Amino acid sequence: MFIDRNHIQQHIMSLFSMSFLFLSQSMFSTLSTIGHFPNIQILFKSSNIFSLLFWCSIIAFIATFYQKKCSKKVYLVDFACYNPLPRWNCSKDKFIEQLRCGGHIKDESIDFQKKILDGSGFGDKAYVPEPLLENPPNICTIEARKETESVIFGAIDELLLKTKMKVEDIEILITNCSIFNPSPSLSAMVVNHYKLKHQILCYNLSGMGCSAGLIAIDLARQLLQVHPNSYALVVSTENMNNGYYLGNNRSMLVTNCLFRIGGAAILLSNISSDSYRSKYHLKHTVRTHKGSHDNCYNSVFQKEDETNKFTGISLSKDLMNTAGFALKSNITTLGKSVLPLVEQFKFVSTFVVKKYFNNKVKVYTPDFKLCFEHFCIHTGGKAVLDEVQKVLRLSDFQIEPSRTTLYRCGNTSSSSIWYVLAYCEAKGRIRKGDRIWQIAFGSGFKCNTAVWCALRDVDPIKEINPWMDEISQFPVDVSI
């Protein structure tokens, strides 16, 4: 049952007021009783005043402590993933055929992209916006805006339907999109469309790559620490139209092959009463930034190609090593909070031996499978998932949700981890108490993670989920 967001605060203030009146009444009642004893009247009057102040201070302290304790917990009420229009479906063959008909790409570049797609881990049901399938591709701000509006509004509409949330109750709004950053911003676009209140706190994250979704979650968490009894709406997406590359530089053509349309909307709350209807409790967020290393900073870089005619995102050959480097640093930080003491001891002891005694000793890799039941890994590509599976020593079953999401949806950038979690829900795998680990990588270079704990069983039959119409068809063999 939904309780108004001010319920707890009003309850505390009512309790404080009633206690104050009770103590005040007791004091004056006592004073009236001893009023005919002038010698001790002053003594009791002073004593009761100090008593009143003491008990009021105690009540105020308890109320403040309780409220602060409640505000520290952040709940994920629910989330929704955008389900693209069927006409946007684009198979691998259809994508290559469009390139051949367009005439703007050389034959050798087309053959290169076909090779990338064949080894990408993709299926034939990922989505591409229609303007990119025209000849030539219709790349412009108008179409980019239409694409983003369709994705963002579609995800938010579904989220509002699932949560029965009133838009006027949203106090914090965070949007993230790396490539498309028009003016007014995407957050302003949401405010205008849904007529959100003018006091709303708005943030628009740009240029932060595929890990920006978890950066937005961490930002929302921090804001919810200082804004009690609040709801935060986080919207994660990417724009294909604005990021599509029309040249022949191979390092830039890879992104055309991997990225597909998608988006997610997430509702967070710090209201304790929402724990009864929320799905997850946010336990940890860890952000790792390796931008101080030149090879990491340049591993994903937007720039003009050698012709100076077209802008694209170049992926370096060191990208996988960079991702592994950032991941190891991130899990070293996270491990202090989630790993059993035995695993921490094994890691620290081998690290000390290697550093001070024997350089040939291999540092022990902690077994994170002991800490989590579900792994939601950013679907950056088959090579990315292979690297993460290798570093974390995950089984094929544990990596299945991410590989299946890559197969069905492609790389939907910052929203991909939410499609992975939606797959776990659609399969009926989420049980109360389960721990979920989300891992995302992004330009900079960044590795960001979030840890959630399921507050209840998630019944797939009762869920609005982008997978539900076809979940019985998965998993499929994606070992290509």
Side-chain angles (χ1 to χ4, degrees), residues 50 89 99 189 193 230 252 289 301 312 332 346 395 409 415 461 479:
F50 282 114
N89 179 262
L99 294 177
M189 179 191 298
H193 182 79
S230 299
M252 297 180 176
H289 202 308
F301 208 92
T332 299
K346 291 180 181 178
S395 66
C409 306
S415 65
I461 299 178
S479 57

Side-chain angles (χ1 to χ4, degrees), residues 10-280:
Q10 293 172 353
H11 180 74
I12 292 173
M13 293 307 298
S14 298
L15 178 62
F16 177 82
S17 300
M18 287 188 293
S19 301
F20 181 84
L21 290 174
F22 174 77
L23 289 171
S24 300
Q25 184 180 11
S26 299
M27 182 189 74
F28 288 115
S29 176
T30 303
L31 285 175
S32 63
T33 301
I34 65 172
H36 55 283
F37 297 103
N39 294 331
I40 62 172
Q41 184 176 359
I42 297 177
L43 178 62
F44 270 85
K45 183 177 180 180
S46 176
S47 175
N48 276 275
I49 289 175
F50 282 114
S51 177
L52 175 63
L53 292 175
F54 173 76
W55 285 110
C56 286
S57 300
I58 291 295
I59 293 172
F61 173 78
I62 294 174
T64 303
F65 175 79
Y66 178 76
Q67 195 167 13
K68 285 185 176 180
K69 182 182 178 183
C70 291
S71 68
K72 290 182 179 180
K73 291 186 177 181
V74 175
Y75 303 103
L76 192 159
V77 180
D78 212 330
F79 69 97
C81 297
Y82 176 65
N83 202 1
L85 301 173
R87 65 175 184 269
W88 289 3
N89 179 262
C90 181
S91 66
K92 291 180 287 187
D93 289 341
K94 183 178 179 180
F95 183 82
I96 294 299
E97 183 61 27
Q98 187 278 334
L99 294 177
R100 297 191 187 281
C101 295
H104 59 283
I105 302 293
K106 296 179 181 179
D107 288 343
E108 53 266 34
S109 296
I110 295 175
D111 293 338
F112 171 75
Q113 291 185 79
K114 185 178 186 306
K115 182 179 179 181
I116 293 295
L117 283 171
D118 289 341
S120 65
F122 276 32
D124 284 323
K125 291 187 177 182
Y127 297 95
V128 173
E130 285 185 299
L132 295 186
L133 299 178
E134 298 177 7
N135 288 313
N138 184 7
I139 298 176
C140 63
T141 301
I142 293 177
E143 293 299 337
R145 188 179 293 273
K146 287 180 180 179
E147 175 191 332
T148 297
E149 288 177 344
S150 176
V151 174
I152 288 181
F153 299 158
I156 294 177
D157 287 346
E158 185 171 308
L159 179 64
L160 295 176
L161 178 64
K162 294 174 72 173
T163 60
K164 297 180 175 58
M165 184 73 181
K166 296 179 180 178
V167 292
E168 56 264 28
D169 289 333
I170 299 173
E171 284 85 10
I172 300 168
L173 170 64
I174 304 172
T175 58
N176 71 267
C177 181
S178 187
I179 300 298
F180 184 54
N181 299 288
S183 183
S185 67
L186 300 186
S187 58
M189 179 191 298
V190 175
V191 171
N192 176 260
H193 182 79
Y194 292 98
K195 309 305 178 188
L196 302 181
K197 58 187 179 184
H198 65 272
Q199 305 100 325
I200 192 166
L201 300 176
C202 286
Y203 300 85
N204 188 78
L205 306 183
S206 63
M208 305 191 81
C210 301
S211 67
L214 290 183
I215 295 176
I217 292 294
D218 182 61
L219 174 59
R221 178 191 64 81
Q222 295 186 51
L223 290 169
L224 289 171
Q225 300 303 303
V226 295
H227 295 279
N229 304 308
S230 299
Y231 287 104
L233 174 62
V234 176
V235 185
S236 298
T237 189
E238 193 51 81
N239 188 280
M240 286 193 64
N241 189 290
N242 199 250
Y244 198 74
Y245 174 62
L246 294 174
N248 290 279
N249 185 304
R250 291 193 172 189
S251 69
M252 297 180 176
L253 286 171
V254 175
T255 56
N256 287 0
C257 300
L258 296 181
F259 284 97
R260 294 295 181 264
I261 195 169
I266 305 97
L267 181 64
L268 301 177
S269 168
N270 61 5
I271 305 172
S272 61
S273 59
D274 276 330
S275 63
Y276 299 103
R277 68 169 182 146
S278 297
K279 284 184 174 179
Y280 306 101

